[in-house]
PDB file of all heavy atoms in Angstrom:
ATOM      1  N   ASN A 946      85.549  77.208  -5.457  1.00  0.00           N
ATOM      2  CA  ASN A 946      85.154  77.875  -4.214  1.00  0.00           C
ATOM      3  C   ASN A 946      85.034  79.385  -4.432  1.00  0.00           C
ATOM      4  O   ASN A 946      84.094  80.014  -3.947  1.00  0.00           O
ATOM      5  CB  ASN A 946      86.166  77.583  -3.103  1.00  0.00           C
ATOM      6  CG  ASN A 946      85.902  76.236  -2.432  1.00  0.00           C
ATOM      7  OD1 ASN A 946      84.752  75.811  -2.299  1.00  0.00           O
ATOM      8  ND2 ASN A 946      86.957  75.563  -2.015  1.00  0.00           N
ATOM      9  N   LEU A 947      85.967  79.929  -5.175  1.00  0.00           N
ATOM     10  CA  LEU A 947      85.933  81.375  -5.434  1.00  0.00           C
ATOM     11  C   LEU A 947      84.646  81.754  -6.187  1.00  0.00           C
ATOM     12  O   LEU A 947      83.947  82.696  -5.821  1.00  0.00           O
ATOM     13  CB  LEU A 947      87.175  81.790  -6.244  1.00  0.00           C
ATOM     14  CG  LEU A 947      87.254  83.262  -6.637  1.00  0.00           C
ATOM     15  CD1 LEU A 947      87.318  84.161  -5.410  1.00  0.00           C
ATOM     16  CD2 LEU A 947      88.456  83.528  -7.546  1.00  0.00           C
ATOM     17  N   ILE A 948      84.336  80.989  -7.226  1.00  0.00           N
ATOM     18  CA  ILE A 948      83.136  81.295  -8.025  1.00  0.00           C
ATOM     19  C   ILE A 948      81.872  81.163  -7.166  1.00  0.00           C
ATOM     20  O   ILE A 948      80.969  82.012  -7.220  1.00  0.00           O
ATOM     21  CB  ILE A 948      83.065  80.364  -9.267  1.00  0.00           C
ATOM     22  CG1 ILE A 948      84.239  80.661 -10.214  1.00  0.00           C
ATOM     23  CG2 ILE A 948      81.733  80.524  -9.994  1.00  0.00           C
ATOM     24  CD1 ILE A 948      84.365  79.689 -11.387  1.00  0.00           C
ATOM     25  N   GLY A 949      81.818  80.128  -6.354  1.00  0.00           N
ATOM     26  CA  GLY A 949      80.644  79.910  -5.503  1.00  0.00           C
ATOM     27  C   GLY A 949      80.478  81.021  -4.468  1.00  0.00           C
ATOM     28  O   GLY A 949      79.373  81.520  -4.239  1.00  0.00           O
ATOM     29  N   ILE A 950      81.591  81.423  -3.875  1.00  0.00           N
ATOM     30  CA  ILE A 950      81.546  82.454  -2.833  1.00  0.00           C
ATOM     31  C   ILE A 950      81.172  83.811  -3.421  1.00  0.00           C
ATOM     32  O   ILE A 950      80.407  84.579  -2.830  1.00  0.00           O
ATOM     33  CB  ILE A 950      82.903  82.489  -2.084  1.00  0.00           C
ATOM     34  CG1 ILE A 950      82.956  81.281  -1.125  1.00  0.00           C
ATOM     35  CG2 ILE A 950      83.099  83.793  -1.336  1.00  0.00           C
ATOM     36  CD1 ILE A 950      84.334  80.970  -0.576  1.00  0.00           C
ATOM     37  N   VAL A 951      81.676  84.101  -4.619  1.00  0.00           N
ATOM     38  CA  VAL A 951      81.325  85.365  -5.272  1.00  0.00           C
ATOM     39  C   VAL A 951      79.831  85.369  -5.629  1.00  0.00           C
ATOM     40  O   VAL A 951      79.138  86.389  -5.458  1.00  0.00           O
ATOM     41  CB  VAL A 951      82.215  85.597  -6.516  1.00  0.00           C
ATOM     42  CG1 VAL A 951      81.675  86.724  -7.381  1.00  0.00           C
ATOM     43  CG2 VAL A 951      83.646  85.912  -6.079  1.00  0.00           C
ATOM     44  N   ALA A 952      79.318  84.229  -6.070  1.00  0.00           N
ATOM     45  CA  ALA A 952      77.879  84.140  -6.377  1.00  0.00           C
ATOM     46  C   ALA A 952      77.057  84.392  -5.109  1.00  0.00           C
ATOM     47  O   ALA A 952      76.039  85.082  -5.143  1.00  0.00           O
ATOM     48  CB  ALA A 952      77.551  82.772  -6.976  1.00  0.00           C
ATOM     49  N   ALA A 953      77.521  83.840  -3.993  1.00  0.00           N
ATOM     50  CA  ALA A 953      76.823  84.036  -2.721  1.00  0.00           C
ATOM     51  C   ALA A 953      76.836  85.520  -2.331  1.00  0.00           C
ATOM     52  O   ALA A 953      75.824  86.090  -1.937  1.00  0.00           O
ATOM     53  CB  ALA A 953      77.488  83.200  -1.630  1.00  0.00           C
ATOM     54  N   ARG A 954      78.000  86.133  -2.476  1.00  0.00           N
ATOM     55  CA  ARG A 954      78.148  87.553  -2.133  1.00  0.00           C
ATOM     56  C   ARG A 954      77.182  88.416  -2.951  1.00  0.00           C
ATOM     57  O   ARG A 954      76.477  89.269  -2.422  1.00  0.00           O
ATOM     58  CB  ARG A 954      79.596  87.986  -2.432  1.00  0.00           C
ATOM     59  CG  ARG A 954      79.920  89.440  -2.139  1.00  0.00           C
ATOM     60  CD  ARG A 954      81.229  89.849  -2.805  1.00  0.00           C
ATOM     61  NE  ARG A 954      81.099  89.878  -4.261  1.00  0.00           N
ATOM     62  CZ  ARG A 954      82.125  89.977  -5.111  1.00  0.00           C
ATOM     63  NH1 ARG A 954      83.349  90.037  -4.658  1.00  0.00           N
ATOM     64  NH2 ARG A 954      81.916  90.016  -6.412  1.00  0.00           N
ATOM     65  N   ASP A 955      77.137  88.138  -4.269  1.00  0.00           N
ATOM     66  CA  ASP A 955      76.298  88.956  -5.146  1.00  0.00           C
ATOM     67  C   ASP A 955      74.809  88.660  -4.938  1.00  0.00           C
ATOM     68  O   ASP A 955      73.976  89.553  -5.045  1.00  0.00           O
ATOM     69  CB  ASP A 955      76.715  88.739  -6.604  1.00  0.00           C
ATOM     70  CG  ASP A 955      78.132  89.226  -6.861  1.00  0.00           C
ATOM     71  OD1 ASP A 955      78.695  89.924  -5.973  1.00  0.00           O
ATOM     72  OD2 ASP A 955      78.696  88.907  -7.924  1.00  0.00           O
ATOM     73  N   ALA A 956      74.502  87.398  -4.628  1.00  0.00           N
ATOM     74  CA  ALA A 956      73.101  87.046  -4.374  1.00  0.00           C
ATOM     75  C   ALA A 956      72.587  87.785  -3.145  1.00  0.00           C
ATOM     76  O   ALA A 956      71.418  88.140  -3.061  1.00  0.00           O
ATOM     77  CB  ALA A 956      72.966  85.539  -4.175  1.00  0.00           C
ATOM     78  N   HIS A 957      73.480  88.032  -2.197  1.00  0.00           N
ATOM     79  CA  HIS A 957      73.075  88.730  -0.977  1.00  0.00           C
ATOM     80  C   HIS A 957      73.283  90.239  -1.086  1.00  0.00           C
ATOM     81  O   HIS A 957      73.109  90.958  -0.095  1.00  0.00           O
ATOM     82  CB  HIS A 957      73.835  88.171   0.238  1.00  0.00           C
ATOM     83  CG  HIS A 957      73.182  86.954   0.800  1.00  0.00           C
ATOM     84  ND1 HIS A 957      72.542  86.939   2.014  1.00  0.00           N
ATOM     85  CD2 HIS A 957      73.016  85.715   0.276  1.00  0.00           C
ATOM     86  CE1 HIS A 957      72.025  85.740   2.222  1.00  0.00           C
ATOM     87  NE2 HIS A 957      72.313  84.973   1.190  1.00  0.00           N
ATOM     88  N   ASN A 958      73.613  90.707  -2.289  1.00  0.00           N
ATOM     89  CA  ASN A 958      73.832  92.143  -2.518  1.00  0.00           C
ATOM     90  C   ASN A 958      74.689  92.770  -1.433  1.00  0.00           C
ATOM     91  O   ASN A 958      74.416  93.865  -0.952  1.00  0.00           O
ATOM     92  CB  ASN A 958      72.490  92.886  -2.566  1.00  0.00           C
ATOM     93  CG  ASN A 958      71.672  92.446  -3.764  1.00  0.00           C
ATOM     94  OD1 ASN A 958      72.195  92.353  -4.878  1.00  0.00           O
ATOM     95  ND2 ASN A 958      70.415  92.132  -3.542  1.00  0.00           N
ATOM     96  N   LEU A 959      75.719  92.036  -1.067  1.00  0.00           N
ATOM     97  CA  LEU A 959      76.559  92.506   0.033  1.00  0.00           C
ATOM     98  C   LEU A 959      77.433  93.673  -0.428  1.00  0.00           C
ATOM     99  O   LEU A 959      78.130  93.568  -1.426  1.00  0.00           O
ATOM    100  CB  LEU A 959      77.445  91.338   0.493  1.00  0.00           C
ATOM    101  CG  LEU A 959      77.614  91.175   1.988  1.00  0.00           C
ATOM    102  CD1 LEU A 959      76.280  90.984   2.674  1.00  0.00           C
ATOM    103  CD2 LEU A 959      78.519  89.993   2.267  1.00  0.00           C
ATOM    104  N   GLU A 960      77.359  94.775   0.276  1.00  0.00           N
ATOM    105  CA  GLU A 960      78.141  95.967  -0.053  1.00  0.00           C
ATOM    106  C   GLU A 960      79.300  96.094   0.938  1.00  0.00           C
ATOM    107  O   GLU A 960      79.144  95.745   2.109  1.00  0.00           O
ATOM    108  CB  GLU A 960      77.268  97.222   0.068  1.00  0.00           C
ATOM    109  CG  GLU A 960      76.080  97.265  -0.870  1.00  0.00           C
ATOM    110  CD  GLU A 960      76.489  97.550  -2.310  1.00  0.00           C
ATOM    111  OE1 GLU A 960      77.617  98.061  -2.515  1.00  0.00           O
ATOM    112  OE2 GLU A 960      75.689  97.234  -3.218  1.00  0.00           O
ATOM    113  N   PRO A 961      80.432  96.641   0.472  1.00  0.00           N
ATOM    114  CA  PRO A 961      81.597  96.770   1.361  1.00  0.00           C
ATOM    115  C   PRO A 961      81.268  97.398   2.718  1.00  0.00           C
ATOM    116  O   PRO A 961      81.801  96.980   3.738  1.00  0.00           O
ATOM    117  CB  PRO A 961      82.553  97.656   0.561  1.00  0.00           C
ATOM    118  CG  PRO A 961      82.222  97.348  -0.856  1.00  0.00           C
ATOM    119  CD  PRO A 961      80.747  97.074  -0.903  1.00  0.00           C
ATOM    120  N   ARG A 962      80.366  98.377   2.723  1.00  0.00           N
ATOM    121  CA  ARG A 962      80.093  99.030   4.018  1.00  0.00           C
ATOM    122  C   ARG A 962      79.431  98.071   5.010  1.00  0.00           C
ATOM    123  O   ARG A 962      79.407  98.322   6.206  1.00  0.00           O
ATOM    124  CB  ARG A 962      79.260 100.296   3.825  1.00  0.00           C
ATOM    125  CG  ARG A 962      77.862 100.065   3.300  1.00  0.00           C
ATOM    126  CD  ARG A 962      77.185 101.384   2.891  1.00  0.00           C
ATOM    127  NE  ARG A 962      76.296 101.152   1.763  1.00  0.00           N
ATOM    128  CZ  ARG A 962      75.047 100.737   1.885  1.00  0.00           C
ATOM    129  NH1 ARG A 962      74.548 100.504   3.074  1.00  0.00           N
ATOM    130  NH2 ARG A 962      74.293 100.534   0.817  1.00  0.00           N
ATOM    131  N   ASN A 963      78.889  96.964   4.481  1.00  0.00           N
ATOM    132  CA  ASN A 963      78.233  95.991   5.368  1.00  0.00           C
ATOM    133  C   ASN A 963      79.119  94.813   5.767  1.00  0.00           C
ATOM    134  O   ASN A 963      78.735  93.996   6.600  1.00  0.00           O
ATOM    135  CB  ASN A 963      76.980  95.428   4.701  1.00  0.00           C
ATOM    136  CG  ASN A 963      75.923  96.494   4.499  1.00  0.00           C
ATOM    137  OD1 ASN A 963      75.783  97.375   5.337  1.00  0.00           O
ATOM    138  ND2 ASN A 963      75.223  96.434   3.390  1.00  0.00           N
ATOM    139  N   PHE A 964      80.275  94.706   5.125  1.00  0.00           N
ATOM    140  CA  PHE A 964      81.110  93.513   5.338  1.00  0.00           C
ATOM    141  C   PHE A 964      81.377  93.258   6.827  1.00  0.00           C
ATOM    142  O   PHE A 964      81.234  92.149   7.309  1.00  0.00           O
ATOM    143  CB  PHE A 964      82.443  93.628   4.599  1.00  0.00           C
ATOM    144  CG  PHE A 964      82.325  93.480   3.101  1.00  0.00           C
ATOM    145  CD1 PHE A 964      83.427  93.700   2.277  1.00  0.00           C
ATOM    146  CD2 PHE A 964      81.124  93.112   2.510  1.00  0.00           C
ATOM    147  CE1 PHE A 964      83.329  93.569   0.899  1.00  0.00           C
ATOM    148  CE2 PHE A 964      81.019  92.986   1.123  1.00  0.00           C
ATOM    149  CZ  PHE A 964      82.131  93.214   0.326  1.00  0.00           C
ATOM    150  N   SER A 965      81.769  94.330   7.539  1.00  0.00           N
ATOM    151  CA  SER A 965      82.236  94.112   8.910  1.00  0.00           C
ATOM    152  C   SER A 965      81.108  93.666   9.842  1.00  0.00           C
ATOM    153  O   SER A 965      81.365  93.206  10.951  1.00  0.00           O
ATOM    154  CB  SER A 965      82.924  95.362   9.446  1.00  0.00           C
ATOM    155  OG  SER A 965      81.982  96.412   9.465  1.00  0.00           O
ATOM    156  N   ARG A 966      79.866  93.808   9.388  1.00  0.00           N
ATOM    157  CA  ARG A 966      78.774  93.322  10.245  1.00  0.00           C
ATOM    158  C   ARG A 966      78.077  92.093   9.626  1.00  0.00           C
ATOM    159  O   ARG A 966      76.960  91.742   9.986  1.00  0.00           O
ATOM    160  CB  ARG A 966      77.780  94.432  10.568  1.00  0.00           C
ATOM    161  CG  ARG A 966      77.290  95.268   9.367  1.00  0.00           C
ATOM    162  CD  ARG A 966      76.233  96.272   9.780  1.00  0.00           C
ATOM    163  NE  ARG A 966      75.035  95.606  10.271  1.00  0.00           N
ATOM    164  CZ  ARG A 966      74.048  95.161   9.487  1.00  0.00           C
ATOM    165  NH1 ARG A 966      74.108  95.313   8.174  1.00  0.00           N
ATOM    166  NH2 ARG A 966      72.988  94.574  10.018  1.00  0.00           N
ATOM    167  N   SER A 967      78.778  91.411   8.680  1.00  0.00           N
ATOM    168  CA  SER A 967      78.180  90.247   8.019  1.00  0.00           C
ATOM    169  C   SER A 967      79.044  89.006   8.215  1.00  0.00           C
ATOM    170  O   SER A 967      79.922  88.699   7.390  1.00  0.00           O
ATOM    171  CB  SER A 967      78.009  90.539   6.525  1.00  0.00           C
ATOM    172  OG  SER A 967      77.212  91.685   6.335  1.00  0.00           O
ATOM    173  N   PRO A 968      78.818  88.268   9.298  1.00  0.00           N
ATOM    174  CA  PRO A 968      79.703  87.141   9.597  1.00  0.00           C
ATOM    175  C   PRO A 968      79.522  85.925   8.677  1.00  0.00           C
ATOM    176  O   PRO A 968      78.450  85.710   8.102  1.00  0.00           O
ATOM    177  CB  PRO A 968      79.344  86.770  11.036  1.00  0.00           C
ATOM    178  CG  PRO A 968      78.080  87.468  11.358  1.00  0.00           C
ATOM    179  CD  PRO A 968      77.830  88.533  10.348  1.00  0.00           C
ATOM    180  N   ILE A 969      80.631  85.176   8.570  1.00  0.00           N
ATOM    181  CA  ILE A 969      80.684  83.942   7.769  1.00  0.00           C
ATOM    182  C   ILE A 969      81.020  82.799   8.725  1.00  0.00           C
ATOM    183  O   ILE A 969      81.852  82.970   9.615  1.00  0.00           O
ATOM    184  CB  ILE A 969      81.790  84.060   6.702  1.00  0.00           C
ATOM    185  CG1 ILE A 969      81.464  85.185   5.722  1.00  0.00           C
ATOM    186  CG2 ILE A 969      81.984  82.740   5.967  1.00  0.00           C
ATOM    187  CD1 ILE A 969      82.640  85.576   4.848  1.00  0.00           C
ATOM    188  N   TYR A 970      80.409  81.645   8.522  1.00  0.00           N
ATOM    189  CA  TYR A 970      80.587  80.510   9.433  1.00  0.00           C
ATOM    190  C   TYR A 970      81.289  79.361   8.716  1.00  0.00           C
ATOM    191  O   TYR A 970      80.877  78.968   7.611  1.00  0.00           O
ATOM    192  CB  TYR A 970      79.218  80.061   9.965  1.00  0.00           C
ATOM    193  CG  TYR A 970      78.481  81.216  10.586  1.00  0.00           C
ATOM    194  CD1 TYR A 970      77.773  82.123   9.794  1.00  0.00           C
ATOM    195  CD2 TYR A 970      78.552  81.459  11.953  1.00  0.00           C
ATOM    196  CE1 TYR A 970      77.141  83.218  10.337  1.00  0.00           C
ATOM    197  CE2 TYR A 970      77.923  82.560  12.519  1.00  0.00           C
ATOM    198  CZ  TYR A 970      77.219  83.443  11.700  1.00  0.00           C
ATOM    199  OH  TYR A 970      76.611  84.540  12.250  1.00  0.00           O
TER     200      TYR A 970
END
Side-chain angles (χ1 to χ4, degrees):
N946 277 326
L947 178 62
I948 295 173
I950 284 166
V951 167
R954 180 195 68 192
D955 296 348
H957 276 250
N958 295 314
L959 222 58
E960 298 286 341
R962 65 190 147 85
N963 295 324
F964 287 173
S965 62
R966 48 176 296 275
S967 302
I969 297 167
Y970 306 82

